[in-house]
Amino acid sequence: MQTSLQDRKSLEKRRSRDDEKDSEAYDVTVSIAESTEGDEALKLVGRERTAQFSEEYNKKLRRKLDFLIPPLCAAVYFTQFLDKTSLNYASIMGFPITGQHYNLVSLAFYLGFLVWEFPTVYISQKLRVAKYLGANIIVWGAILICHAAATSFGAFFALRFLLGMCESCVAPILILIISMFYKKDEQGTRVSWFYVMGLTQIFGGFVAYGVSFYDGHNIAPYKIIYLLLGGLAILVGICVIVWLPDSPVHARVLTKEERVAVLERVRDDQGGTENKHWKKDQIVEALTDVRTWLIALTTLMTSIPNGALSNFSNIIIKSFGYTSKQTLILSTPGGAVASLTTLLCGWYSDRKNERMIPIIFCLIPTIVGSAMLIGLNGSGNKGALLFATYLIGTFGSALSSVYAYNASNTSGHTKKNTINALTLATFSVGNIIGTEIFQPKDAPAYIPGKIAIMVLLTVQLFVSLLLRWINLRLNIKKREKLEEEKAKHGWTDEDVQRERERHAFMDLTDKQNLFFVYTA
């Protein structure tokens, strides 16, 4: 049963009087509940839990959120990935840029992405994140349509650069929204729902296949792709502005009671929601946390293969001896493999409270697939080579697990945004490098590039295990510190719970907050 909002207010007044009585019993260094730099959530809820909601009520609320937030996030990511990889389809549909210039046009997207990542995250923290996201989607839809009018290398390079700038805000904002509305043991699954980018490979492959039958002379087939995808992006952007909530505090699609319930659901996770102020100490903590750089390294090593394969996978399949039309259809099963892997890793991630083990699961098949492509090169065994390209598609799920890791293992709004921005900046650096590991001189086999993918992902296996070990060690140290504080102050379990509730929405970082628990 949930208390009424009137009861909650009166109970909060009584609790505030109790706080004055208890002030001498708690060490100020442990209870930082008097901070004036708290979370936006404090506009709706108190420092301590003042409303209780039944399990049945929370399940019903979660279903309502599931019908709204993951589908819109999926539409955004679906559109982004489809638009980003549109060059891959255009490459075998009469695209006028080839050779090293094609590599540079591919690189331009990630260059724009890198240049604008930190500014866009800074701007988004100052604004309503969903509205800012929707505006960016509409703008990049218009930029895609402009691709149909471009004819020169310079024009395509500039348009891809601008496209990267607009799309750089997507992942940080989606990660933030998922972390605000869902508990830690729900986040991996929800991230996997919107990250099923393999569906874009299926959808894009069939659309490109259909367009490839166009034999008119009024417009080139690749231009039709850009017009269709640009129009779709504008439609999705409008939907995001209208329906995607910015945070639980500002979710107009929820009643006031439901907004309070959302916040109380995530209180014990200690992740907080949002704070509009950038905090220097949180930036410093993010940059001096060794886990930040291990996540950046993880993102880099899994993004280099992404930069290569998202733009060259169709060229590789065609090199086996297939026609352009056959290549477009034969690329779609790889999307199904990638989607299934992402969903299974997301499910396992939440079920077992793991983030790094799913990364290991999805990298091993890619390492095997790369080895097959190298070993079977020139064998003429089309079936085995094609199967190897499908195996390679599993590595994409790694970034989904990285997103879930960031959502579950970082607290403090500025620290979250800093780490998410750094993650996506290294994502763009990795993709820039990736566009260059498949050199024209190595065509059509691209053996050096395939060897690079295999080596990078093998090293990443050990980085994942190291990250997992660090988080487990940090949890042990936090439990030991909490036991020390309990003994020092004579806290009961009820006192500990009260302190945990007080810390939840104070915009503390995971290191500052004694009650924050890391997910391995």
Side-chain angles (χ1 to χ4, degrees):
M1 296 293 293
Q2 58 264 25
T3 63
S4 68
L5 293 176
Q6 291 81 5
D7 291 340
R8 183 176 66 78
K9 290 178 181 178
S10 62
L11 183 57
E12 187 175 346
K13 289 179 181 178
R14 291 200 301 272
R15 289 277 175 85
S16 66
R17 290 195 295 269
D18 291 341
D19 288 348
E20 295 176 4
K21 296 177 183 178
D22 293 339
S23 61
E24 295 180 0
Y26 298 97
D27 189 332
V28 178
T29 61
V30 178
S31 178
I32 320 175
E34 299 303 320
S35 170
T36 58
E37 290 294 319
D39 202 286
E40 289 276 298
L42 294 178
K43 293 179 179 179
L44 272 183
V45 298
R47 293 198 303 266
E48 297 173 29
R49 194 186 306 276
T50 54
Q52 298 289 340
F53 297 88
S54 67
E55 186 66 25
E56 181 181 354
Y57 184 93
N58 280 325
K59 285 183 178 178
K60 183 179 178 182
L61 177 59
R62 188 177 65 187
R63 284 195 298 270
K64 182 174 182 177
L65 295 174
D66 284 346
F67 277 111
L68 177 69
I69 295 174
L72 282 170
C73 290
V76 172
Y77 214 82
F78 179 90
T79 305
Q80 184 205 23
F81 193 79
L82 198 60
D83 297 347
K84 181 174 67 177
T85 56
S86 56
L87 191 63
N88 194 20
Y89 301 114
S91 67
I92 58 173
M93 298 180 69
F95 191 66
I97 310 299
T98 58
Q100 186 59 27
H101 276 178
Y102 176 84
N103 285 39
L104 292 173
V105 167
S106 176
L107 177 149
F109 175 91
Y110 297 106
L111 194 59
F113 200 105
L114 175 62
V115 166
W116 195 239
E117 185 60 52
F118 284 96
T120 200
V121 168
Y122 177 82
I123 294 168
S124 70
Q125 183 162 337
K126 299 292 184 180
L127 303 175
R128 295 286 182 87
V129 290
K131 307 301 179 289
Y132 180 71
L133 174 62
N136 273 276
I137 297 171
I138 291 171
V139 171
W140 94 49
I143 291 171
L144 268 177
I145 290 173
C146 290
H147 278 65
T151 55
S152 66
F153 162 72
F156 280 114
F157 187 93
L159 288 170
R160 290 280 294 179
F161 185 91
L162 293 173
L163 190 65
M165 288 179 62
C166 290
E167 295 192 19
S168 62
C169 70
V170 171
I173 289 177
L174 296 187
I175 296 169
L176 198 60
I177 289 173
I178 292 294
S179 69
M180 286 193 284
F181 283 90
Y182 289 99
K183 296 162 66 176
K184 284 186 181 181
D185 61 0
E186 300 166 347
Q187 291 169 1
T189 303
R190 271 69 190 180
V191 169
S192 74
W193 287 355
F194 79 69
Y195 190 80
V196 282
M197 62 182 186
L199 294 179
T200 64
Q201 192 172 337
I202 298 171
F203 176 81
F206 279 116
V207 169
Y209 180 73
V211 172
S212 70
F213 283 95
Y214 170 76
D215 57 2
H217 302 288
N218 294 326
I219 184 170
Y222 78 88
K223 294 185 177 182
I224 299 175
I225 293 293
Y226 282 120
L227 292 172
L228 289 174
L229 298 186
L232 177 63
I234 292 172
L235 179 62
V236 170
I238 293 171
C239 292
V240 166
I241 289 175
V242 174
W243 287 302
L244 186 64
D246 301 285
S247 75
V249 177
H250 301 292
R252 291 179 300 173
V253 294
L254 302 177
T255 65
K256 187 172 183 180
E257 183 180 70
E258 288 173 333
R259 281 179 272 158
V260 170
V262 168
L263 292 170
E264 295 297 354
R265 253 173 42 86
V266 301
R267 183 189 285 271
D268 285 342
D269 283 343
Q270 305 292 310
T273 57
E274 64 176 339
N275 184 293
K276 297 297 183 184
H277 304 288
W278 275 86
K279 300 180 180 179
K280 182 180 178 181
D281 63 309
Q282 293 195 12
I283 297 174
V284 171
E285 182 177 313
L287 297 178
T288 55
D289 189 337
V290 66
R291 298 175 311 125
T292 301
W293 299 104
L294 288 174
I295 275 294
L297 181 61
T298 295
T299 307
L300 180 70
M301 289 197 289
T302 54
S303 297
I304 291 173
N306 183 72
L309 296 172
S310 63
N311 292 295
F312 287 89
S313 60
N314 282 347
I315 294 174
I316 291 172
I317 292 174
K318 189 177 180 181
S319 73
F320 299 156
Y322 296 106
T323 66
S324 293
K325 287 185 174 63
Q326 289 173 331
T327 297
L328 291 170
I329 287 295
L330 290 172
S331 68
T332 56
V337 172
S339 298
L340 183 61
T341 306
T342 300
L343 292 173
L344 287 175
C345 286
W347 171 83
Y348 181 89
S349 179
D350 284 344
R351 180 73 177 238
K352 300 296 184 180
N353 204 32
E354 292 275 2
R355 293 294 183 263
M356 291 294 110
I357 296 299
I359 291 180
I360 293 173
F361 287 163
C362 70
L363 293 186
I364 291 174
T366 301
I367 294 170
V368 172
S370 300
M372 288 177 64
L373 286 177
I374 296 166
L376 295 175
N377 180 54
S379 68
N381 192 336
K382 287 185 178 181
L385 289 168
L386 196 58
F387 176 74
T389 63
Y390 298 155
L391 280 180
I392 282 180
T394 61
F395 84 95
S397 304
L399 194 58
S400 171
S401 295
V402 168
Y403 289 168
Y405 177 95
N406 284 357
S408 303
N409 285 294
T410 312
S411 183
H413 197 69
T414 299
K415 184 176 181 181
K416 279 184 186 178
N417 276 337
T418 302
I419 291 177
N420 285 340
L422 189 60
T423 299
L424 273 296
T426 51
F427 167 80
S428 61
V429 171
N431 278 276
I432 288 171
I433 297 170
T435 60
E436 294 301 308
I437 67 170
F438 282 8
Q439 288 290 312
K441 65 183 177 61
D442 299 322
Y446 298 109
I447 294 299
K450 293 169 185 175
I451 292 173
I453 290 172
M454 185 172 66
V455 172
L456 285 168
L457 298 186
T458 301
V459 173
Q460 176 52 41
L461 297 177
F462 296 98
V463 176
S464 298
L465 291 173
L466 177 59
L467 260 170
R468 183 177 185 275
W469 178 81
I470 290 173
N471 274 6
L472 292 173
R473 288 292 302 164
L474 288 173
N475 282 339
I476 291 171
K477 289 181 179 179
K478 287 209 171 199
R479 285 196 295 269
E480 291 173 350
K481 179 63 177 175
L482 182 56
E483 289 301 319
E484 289 177 12
E485 295 297 330
K486 285 177 68 176
K488 178 180 177 182
H489 300 291
W491 287 348
T492 64
D493 289 343
E494 186 180 49
D495 293 329
V496 171
Q497 180 59 27
R498 176 160 34 168
E499 283 297 307
R500 180 177 288 111
E501 291 175 4
R502 286 174 168 177
H503 285 65
F505 297 123
M506 298 315 300
D507 195 38
L508 303 174
T509 68
D510 47 275
K511 285 192 173 182
Q512 293 170 340
N513 190 345
L514 179 62
F515 301 96
F516 189 93
V517 178
Y518 296 103
T519 304

